């Protein structure tokens, strides 16, 4: 199958064949290589060639798209989501409006524990159908690769059920999916007085099953005061490494809890959230290769202060953005909306924001050699926008999503 796209107003995030881009960092984040008035050929789902319209080859194609007035970009790579969940938590949303905090709701047995109760009584088929519908919706908004976490089972069967649903989504859709094992998301009520026993359950019973069945790519822990502390996080990350699960952890969402440093020390692929990040965390990130992933949708929805993206970029580091799509702190998987928050609240330029959800999003899932840029040999997983005046129009047009279709 040969697809030809012609008259592309602007082909964004191009990478030359000889380059081997891993991620973009610091001042380099402002650079978004683009080609005006371009064509692109995809052969069996892989980028075959591209160039300027004045050099359009005379070629046969099974399908031709006239992209006049439209931009083409690599699909978004959303590296942090909890897309598999069993229904919304709109009641807690109202509780928060009336003054309860996210942490207080969690202390009272709501929050993640509320989602776990719902998930453990839902059958796998229904959970799959709900999750598939969410996945289709985010794809319509341009997402082509996505990471999805477990963490609403909090018991062996529930965690396996979530991970099997993620595997079925991988098998039945064209979306590139990575999965993370997040049993260490909250302590179940029955372990409240014996937290050590829950850690043992994760390490001794869940991990061998999850790894044995090849159900996860990464090990995640909600490293936070009131959730999993530093010693527990270290124990869990070491156990994950023994089974080949690299860390990708929740860190520094609610407090300066030391999560960033622990992630860097254990060679995490990424440390995610980072609402509470200062000089020490930045110094730690500079010593390693761990990607800082910012989740502005969660800060927005919980009414928290935003992540210091400028400070991180100005320190020469990379920034990745992701949605954190989940029923508690960010019930949206809309990447274009995150781009708007990045520009208006995190003060990132549109080019920096697009880099953060393409090449850097790919890097936060170890997909930088397959996705994240328009490069010959990479997946032809592409966003075709509507007729729009510029790249900046994507974050500008907030709430509207100026994407015509996802090609994959
Ligand atoms: O990334 N912070 C921990 N986990 C999720 C939210 C989970 C929930 O509230 O259901 C997050 O924000
Ligand atoms: Fe999360």
């Amino acid at each position: 199958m040969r697809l030809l796209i012609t008259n592309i107003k602007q082909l964004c995030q191009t990478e030359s064949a000889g380059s081997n881009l891993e991620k973009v960092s610091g001042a380099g984040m402002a650079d978004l290589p683009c080609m005006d008035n371009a064509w692109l050929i995809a052969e069996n789902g892989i980028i075959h060639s591209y160039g300027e319209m004045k050099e359009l080859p005379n070629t046969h194609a099974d399908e031709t798209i006239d992209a006049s007035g439209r931009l083409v970009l690599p699909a978004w790579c959303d590296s942090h989501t909890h897309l598999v969940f069993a229904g919304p938590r709109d009641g807690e949303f109202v509780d928060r409006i009336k003054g309860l905090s996210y942490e207080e709701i969690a202390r009272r047995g709501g929050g993640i524990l509320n989602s776990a109760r719902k998930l453990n009584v839902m059958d796998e088929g229904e959970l799959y159908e709900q999750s598939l519908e969410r996945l289709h919706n985010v794809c319509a908004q341009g997402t082509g690769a996505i990471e999805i976490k477990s963490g609403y089972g909090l018991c062996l069967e529930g965690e396996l059920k979530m991970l099997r649903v993620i595997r079925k989504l991988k098998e039945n859709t064209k979306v590139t999916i990575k999965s993370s094992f997040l049993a260490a998301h909250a302590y179940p009520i029955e372990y409240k007085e014996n937290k050590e026993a829950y850690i043992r359950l994760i390490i001794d019973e869940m991990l061998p099953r999850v790894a044995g069945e090849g159900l996860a790519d990464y090990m995640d822990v909600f490293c936070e005061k009131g959730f999993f502390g530093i010693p527990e996080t270290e124990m869990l990350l070491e156990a994950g490494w023994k089974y080949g699960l690299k860390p990708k952890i929740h860190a520094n969402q609610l407090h300066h809890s030391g999560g960033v440093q622990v992630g860097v020390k254990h060679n995490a692929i990424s440390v995610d959230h980072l609402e509470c990040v200062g000089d020490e965390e930045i110094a730690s990130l500079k010593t390693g290769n761990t990607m800082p992933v910012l989740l502005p949708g969660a800060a927005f929805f919980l009414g928290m202060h935003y992540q210091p993206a400028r400070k991180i970029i100005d320190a020469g580091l990379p920034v990745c953005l992701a949605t954190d799509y989940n029923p508690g702190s960010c019930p949206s998987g809309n990447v274009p909306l995150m781009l708007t928050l990045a520009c208006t609240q995190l003060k990132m330029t549109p080019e920096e924001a697009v880099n953060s959800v393409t090449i850097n999003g790919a890097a936060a899932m170890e997909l930088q050699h397959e996705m994240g840029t328009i490069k010959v040999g990479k997946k032809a997983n592409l966003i075709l926008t509507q007729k729009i005046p510029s790249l900046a129009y994507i974050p500008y047009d907030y709430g509207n999503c100026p994407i015509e279709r996802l090609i994959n």
Side-chain angles (χ1 to χ4, degrees):
M1 158 73 191
R2 198 173 171 87
L3 168 71
L4 170 64
I5 312 177
T6 58
N7 297 315
I8 304 167
K9 175 178 165 134
Q10 196 169 47
L11 183 62
C12 303
Q13 187 64 308
T14 54
E15 183 185 354
S16 64
S19 138
N20 196 16
L21 197 60
E22 296 285 332
K23 60 184 167 190
V24 288
S25 308
M29 286 201 65
D31 246 3
L32 190 84
C34 294
M35 184 181 280
D36 291 341
N37 206 12
W39 56 268
L40 180 143
I41 293 174
E43 184 97 48
N44 298 325
I46 300 292
I47 298 173
H48 172 276
S49 47
Y50 64 85
E52 291 180 26
M53 276 308 283
K54 59 179 190 283
E55 288 157 3
L56 177 68
N58 186 6
T59 180
H60 142 86
D62 300 294
E63 186 191 348
T64 302
I65 298 173
D66 179 354
S68 296
R70 296 164 173 83
L71 274 51
V72 169
L73 300 95
W76 314 132
C77 295
D78 187 359
S79 70
H80 182 134
T81 84
H82 308 250
L83 174 138
V84 173
F85 59 85
R89 301 213 305 262
D90 44 323
E92 290 177 7
F93 170 60
V94 177
D95 291 341
R96 282 197 296 104
I97 294 168
K98 291 185 177 162
L100 275 186
S101 72
Y102 182 70
E103 282 172 287
E104 184 53 32
I105 290 169
R107 269 198 296 275
R108 293 179 183 197
I112 295 164
L113 296 182
N114 181 0
S115 282
R117 279 191 295 276
K118 291 184 207 276
L119 186 128
N120 281 311
V121 295
M122 183 173 279
D123 77 73
E124 197 170 312
E126 163 71 9
L127 187 63
Y128 173 73
E129 289 305 326
Q130 277 202 13
S131 307
L132 183 64
E133 192 180 328
R134 284 182 209 118
L135 189 59
H136 284 150
N137 286 339
V138 300
C139 290
Q141 289 152 353
T143 298
I146 191 166
E147 181 259 16
I148 309 175
K149 301 171 191 298
S150 71
Y152 292 130
L154 309 183
C155 62
L156 178 64
E157 270 320 308
E159 289 294 306
L160 290 176
K161 177 161 68 179
M162 290 188 77
L163 292 166
R164 282 195 299 260
V165 166
I166 299 171
R167 180 163 66 191
K168 231 196 269 180
L169 294 171
K170 279 190 209 187
E171 288 166 356
N172 296 345
T173 69
K174 285 186 177 172
V175 189
T176 303
I177 299 177
K178 295 274 186 157
S179 63
S180 299
F181 174 50
L182 177 59
H185 200 188
Y187 289 101
I189 301 236
E190 57 275 31
Y191 288 92
K192 220 173 159 188
E193 303 307 324
N194 189 4
K195 295 182 170 163
E196 212 184 307
Y198 186 58
I199 307 268
R200 294 272 37 115
L201 177 71
I202 297 176
I203 295 177
D204 298 337
E205 293 180 40
M206 296 192 198
L207 249 178
R209 281 289 296 278
V210 167
E213 294 183 33
L215 284 167
D217 301 296
Y218 300 112
M219 181 78 183
D220 199 345
V221 175
F222 185 14
C223 177
E224 191 56 79
K225 264 189 211 161
F227 292 84
F228 294 81
I230 300 297
E232 292 81 10
T233 302
E234 296 213 275
M235 221 188 310
L236 288 157
L237 297 190
E238 277 161 23
W241 266 116
K242 286 196 186 121
Y243 288 94
L245 301 188
K246 298 176 189 171
K248 254 179 90 61
I249 68 169
H250 285 72
N252 296 53
Q253 178 185 11
L254 308 171
H255 304 278
H256 288 262
S257 48
V260 167
Q261 291 89 327
V262 152
V264 172
K265 177 175 166 197
H266 290 266
N267 294 314
I269 298 297
S270 68
V271 284
D272 304 19
H273 262 297
L274 311 192
E275 281 83 341
C276 302
V277 155
D279 293 339
E280 282 176 38
E281 287 82 7
I282 288 180
S284 165
L285 285 163
K286 295 220 32 143
T287 65
N289 208 19
T290 298
M291 176 70 78
V293 178
L294 313 186
L295 309 174
F300 168 72
F301 198 67
L302 296 184
M304 289 188 61
H305 53 86
Y306 286 93
Q307 296 85 358
R310 278 265 58 92
K311 201 171 153 110
I312 299 173
I313 295 172
D314 294 345
L317 288 162
V319 156
C320 169
L321 291 175
T323 63
D324 197 19
Y325 192 3
N326 77 78
S329 64
C330 185
S332 168
N334 185 327
V335 172
L337 178 59
M338 303 305 142
L339 297 180
T340 301
L341 292 174
C343 294
T344 60
Q345 308 302 311
L346 276 60
K347 306 296 175 204
M348 292 169 72
T349 65
E351 289 78 10
E352 288 172 332
V354 167
N355 267 317
S356 75
V357 294
T358 54
I359 185 63
N360 286 0
M365 294 185 273
E366 298 180 287
L367 291 170
Q368 68 275 23
H369 301 299
E370 291 167 53
M371 300 188 65
T373 60
I374 305 283
K375 183 183 178 193
V376 171
K378 280 194 176 183
K379 284 190 183 165
N381 199 185
L382 310 169
I383 290 169
L384 178 67
T385 69
Q386 294 169 3
K387 289 191 178 184
I388 58 175
S390 65
L391 181 86
Y393 191 83
I394 299 175
Y396 166 88
D397 189 35
Y398 90 104
N400 292 319
C401 191
I403 287 166
E404 191 165 294
R405 65 180 267 212
L406 182 74
I407 299 167
N408 57 11

